C-alpha cells in the first residue's frame, strides 16, 4: 500500500534517484547479488556459485573470484595494442592517428580525410568518418565527452571495465568488402586455455545495436541449432581463405587465459585485430543455447576449483 502510494505521488526523478542509489549500494557492497539477479532475468535460471558449470556461470564466477587485473589491461582497446605487438606483431593492428583524454584536444586538421573515432573502455562507442569535409566537429566532441563519462561495466556488473582510464583515439577506417553483409564482418574466436573452440561471425551490424550471429567450429562446419533464432538467418558465410592464420593468431593471444574471446576483421584477405573480451555480453549470453554454454563451460579450468 505504502509503495503504491509513493509510486503514485512521488515525482519521477525521486523514483529514479531511489533506484540509482539502491543499485549503487548493491554494486558497492554485494555486486555478486546484482549479477545473480541480472543473470536470472536474462537467462531464466540461477547461477550455481558453488559449482558453476556452463560458460555464462563461469564467466560470472571469475568476475568475483579471480585476478581480473589482466582483464582490465587487455579489455582496454588502446593498451591491448602493445600486448598484440608482443605476441603476434603489429601488422594486424589498424593504424592509430592519435589518442586524447578530452574531445577538445582533438585537432581534426591533423587527421586524414577518412578515419574512425572510438573510446577505449566501452562497446558501440564508434564514430566512422568517411568525409572529414562535412564533419560536425562540435557535435562529435559533445558525443565523445558524453561517452568518456560513461561508466561502462557498471550496469552489467563487469568491475574490470570500471578500472580502465577512458581515452578517445582515432584509427584507420576499415570498410566492408563483402557482398553478404552490410557492415564489417566480425570474426569472434572463443578460446579456452589458448585453444580456439569456435568462431562467432557477426554480420549486418548496426553500431551498438543489432547484429546477425553465426557459429562455426574451427573446421568451418556450422552449428546453427545452438544459436537463438532471433539472431540468425538461413545463409551460409564463406569460409575465410586465411582461417588457419586467424586461428593461429587467436591461439597466441589467448595463451595463458582460462577463457577469452578474440575478435578480428578480414579485409581483402588481410587480418586485422579487433579486441579481446573476457566477459562476452557481460556473462549473460542469451544468443547461445544452454547446451552450447555448458559444452564451452566444461573447457574452462577455474583456478582453485
Amino acid at each position: 500500500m505504502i509503495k503504491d502510494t509513493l509510486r503514485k505521488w512521488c515525482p519521477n526523478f525521486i523514483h529514479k534517484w531511489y533506484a540509482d542509489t539502491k543499485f549503487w549500494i548493491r554494486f558497492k557492497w554485494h555486486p555478486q547479488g546484482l549479477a545473480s539477479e541480472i543473470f536470472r532475468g536474462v537467462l531464466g535460471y540461477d547461477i550455481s556459485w558453488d559449482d558453476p558449470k556452463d560458460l555464462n556461470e563461469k564467466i560470472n564466477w571469475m568476475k568475483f573470484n579471480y585476478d581480473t587485473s589482466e582483464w582490465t589491461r587487455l579489455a582496454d582497446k588502446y593498451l591491448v595494442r602493445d600486448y598484440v605487438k608482443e605476441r603476434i606483431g603489429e601488422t594486424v593492428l589498424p593504424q592509430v592517428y592519435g589518442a586524447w583524454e578530452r574531445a577538445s584536444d582533438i585537432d581534426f586538421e591533423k587527421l586524414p580525410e577518412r578515419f574512425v573515432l572510438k573510446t577505449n573502455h566501452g562497446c558501440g562507442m564508434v564514430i566512422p568518418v568517411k568525409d572529414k569535409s562535412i564533419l560536425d566537429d562540435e557535435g562529435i566532441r559533445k558525443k565523445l565527452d558524453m561517452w568518456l563519462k560513461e561508466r561502462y561495466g557498471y550496469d552489467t556488473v563487469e568491475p574490470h571495465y570500471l578500472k580502465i582510464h577512458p581515452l578517445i583515439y582515432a584509427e584507420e577506417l576499415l570498410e566492408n568488402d563483402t557482398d553478404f553483409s552490410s557492415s564489417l564482418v566480425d570474426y569472434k574466436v572463443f578460446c579456452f586455455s589458448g585453444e580456439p573452440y569456435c568462431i562467432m561471425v557477426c554480420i549486418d551490424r548496426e553500431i551498438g545495436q543489432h547484429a546477425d550471429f553465426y557459429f562455426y567450429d574451427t573446421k568451418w562446419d556450422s552449428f546453427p541449432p545452438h544459436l537463438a533464432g532471433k539472431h540468425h538467418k538461413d545463409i551460409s558465410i564463406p569460409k575465410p581463405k586465411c582461417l588457419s592464420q586467424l586461428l593461429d593468431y587467436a591461439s597466441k593471444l589467448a595463451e595463458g587465459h582460462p577463457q577469452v574471446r578474440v575478435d578480428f576483421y578480414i579485409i581483402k584477405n588481410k587480418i586485422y585485430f579487433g579486441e579481446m573480451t573476457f566477459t562476452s555480453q557481460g556473462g549473460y549470453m542469451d544468443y547461445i543455447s544452454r547446451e552450447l554454454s555448458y559444452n564451452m563451460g566444461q573447457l574452462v579450468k577455474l583456478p582453485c576449483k
Side-chain angles (χ1 to χ4, degrees), residues 242-260:
C242 54
L243 179 61
S244 61
Q245 182 69 78
L246 183 106
L247 295 174
D248 180 62
Y249 284 156
S251 177
K252 289 174 179 174
L253 292 173
E255 184 179 355
H257 303 289
Q259 65 82 34
V260 63

Side-chain angles (χ1 to χ4, degrees), residues 34-277:
L34 265 181
S36 290
E37 188 174 301
I38 296 170
F39 190 100
R40 183 171 56 252
V42 173
L43 297 170
Y45 61 97
D46 292 317
I47 298 176
S48 174
W49 291 104
D50 293 331
D51 187 23
K53 287 186 168 60
D54 68 35
L55 181 58
N56 282 314
E57 288 181 304
K58 289 190 174 182
I59 285 174
N60 276 280
W61 185 93
M62 293 178 76
K63 287 182 190 177
F64 309 107
N65 299 282
Y66 183 71
D67 180 4
T68 60
S69 55
E70 191 73 345
W71 288 15
T72 297
R73 181 172 78 97
L74 300 183
D76 184 320
K77 295 177 177 65
Y78 187 71
L79 287 185
V80 72
R81 292 172 60 89
D82 291 332
Y83 176 86
V84 174
K85 287 179 187 177
E86 293 167 7
R87 294 224 168 179
I88 61 175
E90 61 184 338
T91 59
V92 299
L93 293 171
Q95 184 177 353
V96 165
Y97 304 118
W100 310 270
E101 293 188 342
R102 299 173 301 179
S104 58
D105 293 335
I106 302 172
D107 185 349
F108 286 104
E109 291 298 317
K110 293 183 178 178
L111 293 175
E113 291 305 308
R114 299 161 65 82
F115 56 90
V116 60
L117 289 166
K118 300 179 178 182
T119 60
N120 65 327
H121 69 303
C123 177
M125 301 179 193
V126 179
I127 302 174
V129 177
K130 296 184 178 182
D131 184 353
K132 190 172 69 172
S133 67
I134 58 172
L135 193 68
D136 175 11
D137 294 17
E138 290 310 305
I140 284 178
R141 291 186 204 276
K142 287 180 182 178
K143 179 177 284 190
L144 289 169
D145 279 331
M146 179 182 68
W147 284 348
L148 286 175
K149 294 174 184 176
E150 185 166 326
R151 301 184 68 200
Y152 185 81
Y154 178 68
D155 292 342
T156 51
V157 196
E158 298 173 87
H160 65 288
Y161 279 107
L162 297 173
K163 298 173 185 176
I164 296 175
H165 179 67
L167 289 173
I168 305 159
Y169 65 105
E171 190 178 72
E172 174 185 357
L173 178 66
L174 303 178
E175 294 190 84
N176 176 46
D177 66 343
T178 71
D179 58 5
F180 58 85
S181 175
S182 61
S183 66
L184 270 176
V185 180
D186 202 349
Y187 298 87
K188 301 175 178 291
V189 186
F190 285 85
C191 300
F192 303 100
S193 298
E195 290 294 325
Y197 175 75
C198 65
I199 306 105
M200 184 173 82
V201 185
C202 295
I203 68 171
D204 296 337
R205 179 187 293 279
E206 299 170 27
I207 295 174
Q209 300 181 45
H210 170 82
D212 287 328
F213 304 151
Y214 301 81
F215 266 77
Y216 293 86
D217 64 20
T218 55
K219 295 180 180 179
W220 211 252
D221 291 324
S222 174
F223 42 101
H226 292 298
L227 195 57
K230 63 180 179 179
H231 295 292
H232 184 267
K233 297 173 184 173
D234 188 19
I235 69 169
S236 180
I237 307 295
K239 178 180 178 179
K241 294 178 181 178
C242 54
L243 179 61
S244 61
Q245 182 69 78
L246 183 106
L247 295 174
D248 180 62
Y249 284 156
S251 177
K252 289 174 179 174
L253 292 173
E255 184 179 355
H257 303 289
Q259 65 82 34
V260 63
R261 198 194 75 219
V262 189
D263 298 359
F264 299 94
Y265 304 106
I266 302 174
I267 312 292
K268 293 182 171 59
N269 207 38
K270 175 176 168 54
I271 299 170
Y272 291 90
F273 171 79
E275 63 182 83
M276 294 179 70
T277 303

Side-chain angles (χ1 to χ4, degrees), residues 53-55 58 192 292-300:
K53 287 186 168 60
D54 68 35
L55 181 58
K58 289 190 174 182
F192 303 100
L292 179 57
S293 183
Y294 178 85
N295 292 342
M296 292 197 285
Q298 296 310 291
L299 301 173
V300 181

